[in-house]
Amino acid sequence: TVGMETPLIITDYNLVIYDRWGGVMFQSRDQFTKWDGRMGADLVQSGVYIYDVTFKSPEMEFMHYKGDVLVLR
């Protein structure tokens, strides 16, 4: 699964997973909801997917992380 694991209280959380063409595969504004490799009820194909996560830290700093995850079936 892809998502945040933190005991800190964060706000304005947004996680987006994109396919290689830039299509949105998953989006969550709940820091406790993670992507499980599905689009709706269907498993995604093997491949590289891009994650983009933003949030405000407890110090109210805007944080932005992005990278990729490889799905193998």
Side-chain angles (χ1 to χ4, degrees):
T1 59
V2 177
M4 290 275 301
E5 287 285 338
T6 180
L8 303 175
I9 298 171
I10 59 176
T11 58
D12 299 329
Y13 177 83
N14 189 40
L15 169 65
V16 184
I17 305 291
Y18 299 96
D19 64 17
R20 62 181 172 181
W21 298 283
V24 175
M25 305 298 289
F26 175 83
Q27 184 168 12
S28 177
R29 295 193 174 275
D30 176 4
Q31 78 182 74
F32 302 107
T33 301
K34 298 179 174 72
W35 184 54
D36 63 359
R38 297 179 186 268
M39 182 171 179
D42 299 324
L43 294 171
V44 299
Q45 294 181 358
S46 293
V48 176
Y49 295 84
I50 308 301
Y51 68 85
D52 190 325
V53 61
T54 58
F55 60 92
K56 282 188 186 170
S57 71
E59 294 81 22
M60 300 308 288
E61 290 182 72
F62 179 75
M63 308 297 286
H64 185 202
Y65 297 94
K66 58 185 172 179
D68 56 70
V69 59
L70 176 61
V71 174
L72 296 174
R73 300 267 180 233

